[in-house]
Amino acid sequence: MPATPAWPPASTPRLFVDTPLADGAAPVIDGPAAHYLLNVMRAKVGDPLLLCDNVSGEWLGIVSDTAKRALTVTIERRTRPLEVVPDLWLCFAPVKKARLDWIVEKATELGIARLLPVITERTIVDRINRERIEAQIVEACEQCGRTARPTLADPVKLPRLLTDWPAERALLFADEDGGAPMATLAAPAPAAILTGPEGGFTPRERDLLLAAPAVRRLALGPRILRAETAAIAATALWMAQHGDWRG
């Protein structure tokens, strides 16, 4: 006998929506998401969709009606509960557009809980396009199967970050001048990683960081890393040592 096809298929589109989801709900999808589903994916009545509301998890829905610029989905059942990601923040100095997009995308895929832009003395980009970054977060979550989006904080200057830092959260400072390997740092959740801008931190900033009680110096190998490489390398190391990569 032929095998029963998997349902929903692995190719089923995943989408984050702002509408709360529940059994029997019938959310209407419009805007760019509807354009993508109707005109790119050619969605039609009867097709499955996987929807996430960032509150209750992932749900299987079936397209029940289509219009020119919108479609209605009838929710059938929940497929996965809301995930619990490790309590790790990524504090990073914003960099130029394409590299910033890369940090946001990869950190989301790796399972970061919070993204926190930090303005330093050598930061070239002192403003962020919040709408653009939020869209990058959602797209990365949809692609990698996350059911909970990381939060995005407003940019903060480094001195303010350190003044307001919660005492219980270790702050792993990626220090170009040395530090300890991740494997030797006792820094389980709650924790955060701090990476600097192109050109690194100034001597004054290093002094501020090394005087902060929560700061621990983190070494990232023998080579000089780009700002975006350091952010993602440190996140991956922490996830393997303290996060949800340990099986």
Side-chain angles (χ1 to χ4, degrees), residues 145-183:
R146 286 188 63 160
T147 61
R149 299 196 303 263
T151 59
L152 175 63
D154 291 328
V156 60
K157 292 185 177 180
L158 180 62
R160 173 56 61 185
L161 176 82
L162 296 176
T163 298
D164 296 341
W165 193 258
E168 72 280 3
R169 184 176 297 273
L171 179 58
L172 305 181
F173 159 41
D175 189 353
E176 293 180 354
D177 291 337
M182 183 70 77

